[in-house]
Amino acid sequence: MELHEERAEHVGPEFELARQACREAVEASPALHYLAHYSNGVFDFGVDALGEPGPVPDALPGGTRREELQRLGRHLTFQVATLDRALQEVRTGRLIRTVLHTEEGALFCDSVVPTEHVVGLVLDHAGAGPLFGHPAVDEADRAVAALATRLRGQLSLGSLNPGGWEGARDAVPLPVEQDVRAHVTVGEGPLTACLSAVRAQDLHLVAHVAGGEVRSMVDCLGDPSLAPFFRQVTVDARRRFYHGFVQELGALTTKLNRAVSPVVGGLLARLVLDVEMGAIYYYRLRAGEYLVGVTIDQARVRAADDRMSALAEELTPIGP
């Protein structure tokens, strides 16, 4: 399929290397249907394989799919900046990758530097299901992460390993010298399943929220193997932050769902907030009920996400 490109009027030759990198990313990944580049929340250019015709000469502005995606990208980069500020409290670094995974596709926003982002889209019209290791979503996720790393290389900056994709298969789990009993902050709901999922090797905190209340929250943040991650913030401080944050995620995902669903399609089923040191995962179970997971080790971001997928699948209600 021939690629379509759009550029804002302010884009000059200084964007040429970035534009070419985006084009090559779409060409190399059949799963990636759309890529756009933003600076300070302003649309610079986009490359897509959507296969949609351009607007007719007398068409009203703002009504095409591409224009909807441009607006959504602006909204997403704004939300990413807001979340980035909120997450600074726990000293895990900048927000470098955001994944919004719906029942019909996924949107990715990866940071090159704090004021520069690439936004990618994958659409699943085959109805293969929203979660649990969707191959097209994973492929597009890797493609956008690799693009962000390539664009950082153009600025002589090293990789932030968004998504933990680099060497994910070869990542060595943190050494665990002794089994330390998980800390239980809240012990209701599916406590046993949450306790079975959390471990010091990758998935460091798990919470279950229903009806706006945290029903279960367990963690192994106090494990001795994780001590190097707490040089700037205490274990108790992180527990307090995450307890409040997981409760607020319900309202945040509702807001994001209103913005994303009309363009991408389907309800928001998975959200990943990938920071420089780990990630926060949201998995929807049903209306008003969801899981949240946390890892604080960037090398284990992929493994922790897989573990959260398995837990969500175990707890997802069967049938309507």
Side-chain angles (χ1 to χ4, degrees), residues 153-238:
Q154 293 178 359
L155 302 172
S156 298
L157 296 173
S159 173
L160 293 172
N161 191 18
W165 293 109
E166 298 173 18
R169 294 180 179 179
D170 302 323
V172 178
L174 294 169
V176 179
E177 297 180 359
Q178 57 180 337
D179 290 331
V180 177
R181 180 173 296 182
H183 179 274
V184 179
T185 300
V186 183
E188 301 177 3
L191 178 61
T192 301
C194 292
L195 284 170
S196 298
V198 74
R199 62 181 187 178
Q201 291 93 327
D202 41 41
L203 185 56
H204 302 133
L205 182 147
V206 173
H208 171 263
V209 181
E213 298 293 330
V214 181
R215 302 292 305 280
S216 299
M217 182 172 132
V218 300
D219 71 79
C220 59
L221 296 175
D223 191 280
S225 67
L226 301 178
F229 292 93
F230 292 93
R231 292 171 183 156
Q232 300 184 60
V233 63
T234 66
V235 171
D236 286 341
R238 276 205 180 139

Side-chain angles (χ1 to χ4, degrees), residues 65 68-70 72 107 121 123 258-265:
R65 181 71 173 279
E68 289 179 336
L69 285 167
Q70 288 180 25
L72 179 57
L107 197 66
L121 171 72
L123 297 172
R258 284 198 294 266
V260 173
S261 184
V263 182
V264 181

Side-chain angles (χ1 to χ4, degrees), residues 27 78 100 102 112 194 216 243 258 276 285 306 320:
E27 289 174 337
F78 172 78
L100 296 94
T102 78
V112 180
C194 292
S216 299
H243 184 269
R258 284 198 294 266
E276 291 180 87
L285 299 180
D306 289 343

Side-chain angles (χ1 to χ4, degrees), residues 87-153:
L87 294 173
Q88 292 300 313
E89 183 177 335
V90 278
R91 306 292 193 273
T92 49
R94 305 301 301 261
L95 180 58
I96 60 173
R97 165 180 163 263
T98 304
V99 179
L100 296 94
H101 190 166
T102 78
E103 295 166 318
E104 297 183 20
L107 197 66
F108 314 94
C109 181
D110 285 27
S111 173
V112 180
V113 293
T115 57
E116 182 180 347
H117 296 84
V118 284
V119 174
L121 171 72
V122 57
L123 297 172
D124 172 34
H125 298 292
L131 300 177
F132 317 130
H134 194 298
V137 172
D138 286 351
E139 179 186 331
D141 194 352
R142 287 193 299 269
V144 177
L147 172 64
T149 298
R150 180 177 176 181
L151 295 180
R152 283 180 62 81

Side-chain angles (χ1 to χ4, degrees), residues 79-80 83 87 94-100 245 249 252 256 271-276 278-282 293 295 298 301:
Q79 291 296 329
V80 164
L83 282 166
L87 294 173
R94 305 301 301 261
L95 180 58
I96 60 173
R97 165 180 163 263
T98 304
V99 179
L100 296 94
F245 190 77
L249 268 180
L252 172 64
L256 290 172
L271 170 69
V272 182
L273 304 175
D274 184 355
V275 292
E276 291 180 87
I280 300 173
Y281 313 93
Y282 161 96
T295 182
Q298 188 63 22
V301 165

Side-chain angles (χ1 to χ4, degrees), residues 233-313:
V233 63
T234 66
V235 171
D236 286 341
R238 276 205 180 139
R239 283 179 181 142
R240 287 193 297 271
F241 173 84
Y242 288 131
H243 184 269
F245 190 77
V246 300
Q247 198 163 5
E248 296 169 1
L249 268 180
L252 172 64
T253 54
T254 297
K255 182 188 299 184
L256 290 172
N257 192 77
R258 284 198 294 266
V260 173
S261 184
V263 182
V264 181
L267 293 173
L268 185 64
R270 169 176 165 254
L271 170 69
V272 182
L273 304 175
D274 184 355
V275 292
E276 291 180 87
M277 295 168 56
I280 300 173
Y281 313 93
Y282 161 96
Y283 277 79
R284 181 183 185 272
L285 299 180
R286 55 185 157 192
E289 183 179 0
Y290 58 91
L291 293 170
V292 179
V294 176
T295 182
I296 55 176
D297 182 359
Q298 188 63 22
R300 307 305 295 175
V301 165
R302 185 65 231 171
D305 201 353
D306 289 343
R307 202 159 176 82
M308 280 299 298
S309 290
L311 177 62
E313 189 169 26

Side-chain angles (χ1 to χ4, degrees), residues 23-94:
R23 183 180 182 89
E24 291 173 1
V26 177
E27 289 174 337
S29 176
L32 193 57
H33 299 112
Y34 176 89
L35 265 176
H37 186 280
Y38 290 81
S39 299
N40 293 300
V42 176
F43 173 81
D44 297 316
F45 59 85
V47 183
D48 72 74
L50 295 172
E52 298 184 2
V56 296
D58 59 347
L60 294 175
T64 69
R65 181 71 173 279
R66 294 184 179 100
E67 289 169 323
E68 289 179 336
L69 285 167
Q70 288 180 25
R71 288 194 297 270
L72 179 57
R74 287 194 295 269
H75 175 76
L76 183 54
T77 56
F78 172 78
Q79 291 296 329
V80 164
T82 302
L83 282 166
D84 181 45
R85 290 191 292 270
L87 294 173
Q88 292 300 313
E89 183 177 335
V90 278
R91 306 292 193 273
T92 49
R94 305 301 301 261

